[in-house]
Amino acid sequence: MSPTYILLFTVAVMGCLGLIGALVLYLTAKKFKVEEDPRIDTVEGLLPGANCGACGCKGCRDFASECVKRGKLDGLNCPGAGADGMSRIAAVLGVASVETMRTVAVLKCNGSCAARPAVYDYDGARSCAVMDAVGCGTGGCSYGCLGCGDCVSVCRFGALHIDESTGLPVVDSDACTGCGVCVGECPRHLIELRPAGRRDRRVWVACSSRDKGAVARKICSAACIGCGKCAKTCPFGAIDIADNLSYINPDTCKACGKCVDVCPTGAILSTFKVEPKQPAQV
């Protein structure tokens, strides 16, 4: 038997086996095919496709399936889709849209390079998680931002970047969807989701140090010292002091900005300019 004949015979046998296998797979797939509601594809097409898990589901496909399965949006929300996207999904399902409050990430640290000078050298992996695990940082604050950008690397919407001049992450409020992935990534829990606020007005304490005032101020000039001036000034009772640290309750804060004006260290930040006090008219 010639080599050519053997080669042709082998090719023919393999080809037949391939066809038989393909036919078996086709018949099996057809027999066990699970019919899906076509609305699942439609709903999935309205989602950002980030598979961030902020909705509590395994991914965008799972979220779309859950929406169609329930037939309503109660308890379901995709931060990445936003209010407009959820309204479109509601229209696909033929149900009323559920009002959701937009949230934006804020950094609870204002310890820039200028405010918190470096006191240590770190020559390890550029990772906040690694740096925090070994109890190290370039600054003396054990509560502050480590500046390696772990939060930046996990943001799937490009809403975070490191400001080289300050060494701190900056949140692009227009791009932030409030998915919360960065919140879980920060090993020091320095990122918080807060309501976007009316006209994008937000006020928050950009510090997480629980050291006593004198110690915190010595380490970082922008630290909250727990003096309580902000709480005394707030006309809405929205500020609490605990463990030497102020916290502004977003549910009761009216974003008047008075606390920003009286903070002696500049630890309270806002997304709007606080107008200076006008002198009293005589």
Side-chain angles (χ1 to χ4, degrees), residues 160-249:
L160 281 163
H161 73 275
I162 297 292
D163 186 333
E164 296 299 331
S165 63
T166 64
L168 299 173
V170 177
V171 179
D172 182 347
S173 59
D174 293 330
C176 180
T177 63
C179 68
V181 175
C182 58
V183 175
E185 189 67 18
C186 180
R188 292 190 169 179
H189 313 291
L190 297 177
I191 302 179
E192 178 187 8
L193 293 182
R194 294 180 71 89
R198 295 183 59 187
R199 301 190 303 277
D200 202 40
R201 292 171 65 95
R202 294 180 298 283
V203 182
W204 71 98
V205 178
C207 181
S208 298
S209 175
R210 287 175 170 76
D211 288 332
K212 291 185 177 180
V215 176
R217 186 68 186 273
K218 185 177 181 179
I219 295 173
C220 177
S221 62
C224 172
I225 57 177
C227 64
K229 288 185 177 181
C230 53
K232 294 175 183 177
T233 304
C234 180
F236 307 103
I239 304 178
D240 297 317
I241 310 292
D243 297 329
N244 307 309
L245 182 65
S246 298
Y247 180 76
I248 301 175
N249 188 335

Side-chain angles (χ1 to χ4, degrees), residues 34-47 60-73 76 85-86 88-96:
V34 177
E35 296 292 339
E36 281 191 329
D37 192 314
R39 294 179 298 173
I40 295 177
D41 292 329
T42 305
V43 172
E44 185 181 14
L46 297 173
L47 300 174
C60 292
R61 183 72 180 183
D62 186 43
F63 178 79
S65 299
E66 193 66 23
C67 289
V68 174
K69 178 182 177 181
R70 294 190 190 182
K72 56 183 180 180
L73 295 178
L76 292 171
M86 292 305 298
R88 295 190 185 98
I89 293 174
V92 172
L93 299 178
V95 298

Side-chain angles (χ1 to χ4, degrees), residues 12-55:
V13 171
M14 294 301 293
C16 290
L17 291 175
L19 289 173
I20 294 172
L23 181 62
V24 171
L25 289 174
Y26 171 76
L27 293 175
T28 302
K30 190 172 182 180
K31 180 176 180 61
F32 294 101
K33 180 182 178 181
V34 177
E35 296 292 339
E36 281 191 329
D37 192 314
R39 294 179 298 173
I40 295 177
D41 292 329
T42 305
V43 172
E44 185 181 14
L46 297 173
L47 300 174
N51 295 311
C52 59
C55 58

Side-chain angles (χ1 to χ4, degrees), residues 11 29 49 84 97 136 143 167 215:
V11 170
D84 292 340
S97 59
C136 184
Y143 300 92
V215 176

Side-chain angles (χ1 to χ4, degrees), residues 48 90 121 137 142 179-180 225 228 247 259 269:
D121 289 328
S142 59
C179 68
I225 57 177
Y247 180 76
C259 56
L269 300 183

